[in-house]
Amino acid sequence: MTATQADFVQAIYDVFPSPVIFVDADRIVLSVNAAAIEQFGYAADDMIGGSIQRLYASDHDFEAALFRNAAEPGNTQFSEGIYRYRRSNGTVFTARLRVTPVVDADGTARGFAGIVHDISDYLELYRERRKASEILDTALQAIPEGFAIFDADERIIVYNDAYKRICGAAGPHLKIGMTAEEIMLAVYEVGYYPNAPVGSPQAKAWLEGRMRAFRNPGGDNQIFEYGDGRWLRIEDLKTQDGNTVALRIDVTDLKRAEIALDRQRLEYYTLVQNIPDFICRISADLRYTFVNDRYARFVGMAADDLIGQSLPDYVPATDRESLVTTLKSLSVEAPLATREQRRKLSDGSDLWLLWSNIAVFDGGKLAEYVTVGRDITELKQQQQRIAQQSAELQRKNEALNQFTGTVSHDLKAPLRHMSMFSDMIVEDVGSGNHEELPVYAGHLRQSARRMDQLIDSLLDYAQIADEIGSWQIVSLTDVIADTILTLDSFIQEAGASIAVSALPQLKGDPELLKRLCQNLIGNAIKYRREDVKPVVRIYAETDGDTVRLIFEDNGIGVDPRFSRKIFDVFQRLHRDESIYPGTGIGLALAKRIAESHGGSIALDTAFTHGARFVVTLPNQSHAP
């Protein structure tokens, strides 16, 4: 019996009025109720864990009890005997011991439950009045169990009040000389046998079976329901002179405890079969003793077929040694260990399991392992998403800080110019020197125009969302065609040629993708070599779930040292706007658009014949 079952039994019997003692198969005390503590005078800790032999008055009493209770391991019947016991203060008393073996559902004996009735007073009374005619009747009436003696003709010659009460409504009509069959029929007619309702088809066979058992007692005690939901144990004994001694014991409390234990086992079984976790019980030598259906389905075998199999045989080779090491490391002080396991399913997806391994000890000795596995795949996915979101948030915060610094610097530059030339105009007007005023005014106009361009560029940049709200299937061929049409005059003026290869479809925002392509094609033409007609090649490479859209030109190229800086807001490598006009927002816009599509953009620093930009986008050409 496990520690949990012992606790459960003790909880039931703590309120039982008679002393109750629970021992294991070795007669070691597992639990005692309050009545036992009071009766024997020991503290609970002094009794629990010790041999039951300590409570007997002599070795003879202990050995007699052992002989009386030496039932087979699977026997679930009761036994009874009268023995002498010794209290902690040395006083001896005599008691009636009723014992029942406690077995598991598979028939394994776990121990014994005993109820001790102190009959010292009864015996003393018997000794004092043994010569008087009323001695037998007094003793019988003091016994709580029903007791009767039938002669060789099956007529009742002695019975106590408890026996009469057990007969229910037929009890008041009981009298000396009635036959056993007459008594049984009287009890039947008042409806005190639930297994044989009055007038039912099975009544006759049941009554005949009872009479056969009475006439031919074989030592196998019968337990059946009687009266109003109570349980009775029948013990009949033939004496050498042909008489029959009948003992009728109300075992309702013990039977209800047994039913409660059975119900607990059923509830436990129902629970472990219906919870979404994998549950296994494993012997000390690492063999399955129980698995729930969910685990069996996970392994791909029937639950019954797994029983007795070796646990390591059903663990992936990569985890086998680690699991065995973990189990062997568990101890009384540290009986629990958890570990995460990642498994690949047939569809290629990951299954994450959290295993809790518990070692169960009985008296310091390893009894079994209990292993519980929980599917934490969704939790792992959430953790991964959170980690990705945290990284993305960190990236955006860094970009925002950089963006703020850059914008602040670039917007203040034209303001400083405007402030400076305004001050110069004020000074010249004050001194009457008007010759330079037109020049100063021109600079003011130019700075204001520059400020206007920067603000428009910022507004343009800010209007692009970090994520696309409405996705649709987009043909990149159509996007490039529309972009070339928009830039037609610029292309014609530069004498540029655009070579476009076959391009795939993907999901995205067509207008934003046009803006991205417009900036990259426009830059390729703008940053051309002197006296060399610009040539722009546009092609794509598809690799699984990724599309690389490549823009390649024969222009002046980009110094690899600035391959990352060129994508920042207002970053320009060429300050002379008379040659290469612009605000430095184009590549920043392209990067923001690529990232809003779940992609990226990068300069291919290995390309040395101009500039090559690679836009990487998810290949999601099918609707979600």
Side-chain angles (χ1 to χ4, degrees):
M1 177 178 292
T2 65
T4 301
Q5 290 171 321
D7 290 342
F8 180 78
V9 173
Q10 183 171 342
I12 295 175
Y13 288 107
D14 272 344
V15 297
F16 200 72
S18 297
V20 178
I21 302 175
F22 196 89
V23 300
D24 63 15
D26 297 323
R27 273 63 176 184
I28 299 301
V29 177
L30 298 178
S31 67
V32 295
N33 68 348
I37 295 172
E38 181 179 356
Q39 177 70 23
F40 287 91
Y42 290 101
D45 291 342
D46 292 334
M47 299 175 72
I48 294 173
S51 172
I52 191 66
Q53 184 174 1
R54 176 186 186 183
L55 303 182
Y56 285 85
S58 67
D59 292 342
H60 174 75
D61 287 284
F62 175 67
E63 291 169 0
L66 287 182
F67 180 80
R68 177 81 177 186
N69 300 326
E72 291 299 323
N75 186 11
T76 60
Q77 302 302 316
F78 297 85
S79 65
E80 184 176 277
I82 297 176
Y83 312 97
R84 294 183 307 137
Y85 296 90
R86 189 182 304 278
R87 300 184 179 92
S88 63
N89 60 10
T91 59
V92 176
F93 67 96
T94 303
R96 182 184 300 276
L97 174 65
R98 288 179 292 168
V99 176
T100 178
V102 177
V103 297
D104 283 342
D106 59 2
T108 302
R110 291 300 184 184
F112 301 89
I115 301 178
V116 179
H117 288 285
D118 185 351
I119 60 171
S120 299
D121 293 338
Y122 308 150
L123 295 178
E124 182 64 22
L125 180 62
Y126 173 77
R127 285 189 295 269
E128 291 176 356
R129 303 180 61 186
R130 61 181 176 272
K131 295 181 180 180
S133 61
E134 68 272 14
I135 289 177
L136 178 59
D137 182 65
T138 302
L140 290 177
Q141 302 312 324
I143 298 175
E145 293 81 15
F147 181 87
I149 299 177
F150 293 83
D151 63 16
D153 296 325
E154 299 180 356
R155 296 182 181 278
I156 193 166
I157 57 176
V158 175
Y159 64 88
N160 63 357
D161 287 342
Y163 186 90
K164 184 168 63 175
R165 287 194 300 272
I166 285 174
C167 293
H173 305 289
L174 186 67
K175 59 184 178 181
I176 300 298
M178 291 181 69
T179 66
E181 188 170 5
E182 288 173 339
I183 295 172
M184 186 177 63
L185 288 173
V187 175
Y188 159 73
E189 289 172 354
V190 297
Y192 234 49
Y193 292 143
N195 290 328
V198 176
S200 65
Q202 68 268 28
K204 181 180 178 180
W206 192 86
L207 294 172
E208 290 175 350
R210 282 286 306 114
M211 283 306 301
R212 283 195 300 272
F214 174 80
R215 290 166 179 159
N216 303 285
D220 294 332
N221 302 324
Q222 293 185 353
I223 298 176
F224 56 81
E225 196 173 0
Y226 83 101
D228 187 14
R230 302 194 69 78
W231 292 84
L232 190 67
R233 178 160 63 92
I234 304 297
E235 292 186 15
D236 295 324
L237 174 67
K238 283 284 187 181
T239 64
Q240 291 182 351
D241 56 4
N243 291 343
T244 301
V245 178
L247 190 64
R248 305 293 182 259
I249 305 171
D250 187 318
V251 293
T252 303
D253 291 332
L254 287 175
K255 188 64 179 179
R256 287 174 178 171
E258 180 183 339
I259 293 172
L261 284 172
D262 289 340
R263 183 182 299 113
Q264 185 191 38
R265 293 189 187 101
L266 178 60
E267 289 173 351
Y268 163 78
Y269 181 81
T270 302
L271 173 65
V272 299
Q273 292 294 7
N274 288 280
I275 62 177
D277 295 336
F278 304 133
I279 298 179
C280 309
R281 293 177 65 183
I282 303 159
S283 63
D285 61 350
L286 302 184
R287 294 189 176 276
Y288 294 108
T289 59
F290 170 82
V291 298
N292 67 348
D293 291 341
R294 182 173 173 83
Y295 180 83
R297 289 194 299 270
F298 173 68
V299 173
M301 290 182 62
D304 291 342
D305 293 339
L306 275 172
I307 304 305
Q309 298 293 325
S310 175
L311 167 68
D313 293 345
Y314 295 89
V315 177
T318 54
D319 294 332
R320 194 170 299 154
E321 183 178 352
S322 172
L323 172 61
V324 173
T325 301
T326 297
L327 293 178
K328 295 300 183 182
S329 68
L330 299 178
S331 63
V332 175
E333 294 76 19
L336 171 65
T338 60
R339 66 190 185 96
E340 291 183 357
Q341 181 187 46
R342 178 185 180 184
R343 287 197 176 188
K344 276 289 184 184
L345 299 180
S346 57
D347 61 0
S349 61
D350 287 333
L351 172 66
W352 284 91
L353 297 172
L354 175 63
W355 291 101
S356 297
N357 303 298
I358 306 165
V360 180
F361 293 89
D362 187 1
K365 182 179 179 181
L366 177 65
E368 65 173 348
Y369 298 102
V370 177
T371 299
V372 180
R374 174 160 296 179
D375 186 343
I376 58 169
T377 305
E378 185 175 348
L379 175 62
K380 277 291 184 181
Q381 292 172 346
Q382 290 176 349
Q383 290 175 344
Q384 291 172 355
R385 286 194 292 268
I386 291 173
Q388 292 171 353
Q389 290 170 356
S390 297
E392 179 65 14
L393 181 60
Q394 178 67 22
R395 183 191 63 79
K396 289 182 177 180
N397 283 337
E398 292 174 356
L400 179 60
N401 291 335
Q402 184 184 55
F403 172 81
T404 302
T406 301
V407 169
S408 174
H409 176 272
D410 282 73
L411 287 179
K412 286 182 178 180
L415 285 175
R416 287 194 298 270
H417 288 146
M418 294 171 68
S419 177
M420 179 182 68
F421 287 111
S422 296
D423 290 341
M424 294 173 67
I425 290 174
V426 170
E427 290 178 3
D428 284 0
V429 169
S431 63
N433 182 9
H434 298 166
E435 293 181 2
E436 299 296 328
L437 290 181
V439 177
Y440 299 158
H443 285 299
L444 280 174
R445 187 182 303 108
Q446 183 178 0
S447 296
R449 188 181 300 114
R450 177 65 177 172
M451 174 68 78
D452 186 58
Q453 290 174 344
L454 292 176
I455 292 174
D456 287 344
S457 296
L458 280 177
L459 291 174
D460 205 14
Y461 181 83
Q463 288 173 355
I464 298 175
D466 287 329
E467 295 183 1
I468 304 301
S470 177
W471 295 81
Q472 64 184 72
I473 302 300
V474 179
S475 168
L476 289 179
T477 300
D478 293 342
V479 168
I480 295 297
D482 290 346
T483 302
I484 292 174
L485 184 62
T486 301
L487 296 174
D488 182 64
S489 60
F490 185 48
I491 293 172
Q492 295 297 331
E493 178 183 344
S497 60
I498 313 294
V500 183
S501 301
L503 302 176
Q505 291 183 329
L506 49 72
K507 284 174 58 180
D509 184 311
E511 294 304 319
L512 288 180
L513 291 174
K514 289 177 188 177
R515 292 285 301 279
L516 183 149
C517 295
Q518 182 176 331
N519 284 328
L520 292 178
I521 295 174
N523 277 359
I525 297 173
K526 178 167 59 174
Y527 294 104
R528 59 185 179 271
R529 297 180 185 179
E530 189 176 355
D531 299 328
V532 176
K533 290 187 176 182
V535 176
V536 183
R537 291 182 61 242
I538 304 171
Y539 56 98
E541 297 174 351
T542 301
D543 181 12
D545 57 358
T546 301
V547 172
R548 287 189 292 272
L549 183 60
I550 301 170
F551 296 80
E552 185 180 294
D553 64 57
N554 62 342
I556 63 175
V558 179
D559 191 326
R561 292 178 301 167
F562 306 111
S563 60
R564 296 175 63 88
K565 185 176 181 180
I566 56 176
F567 295 104
D568 293 340
V569 177
F570 298 150
Q571 293 300 320
R572 290 174 48 80
L573 302 182
H574 307 280
R575 294 298 179 180
D576 190 347
E577 293 195 21
S578 63
I579 302 176
Y580 301 112
T583 61
I585 202 75
L587 290 178
L589 280 172
K591 178 184 177 185
R592 191 171 177 87
I593 293 171
E595 290 176 347
S596 70
H597 284 73
S600 63
I601 184 173
L603 174 72
D604 184 356
T605 56
F607 187 73
T608 59
H609 302 293
R612 178 189 287 159
F613 288 91
V614 180
V615 181
T616 303
L617 298 170
N619 184 16
Q620 300 173 335
S621 57
H622 301 286

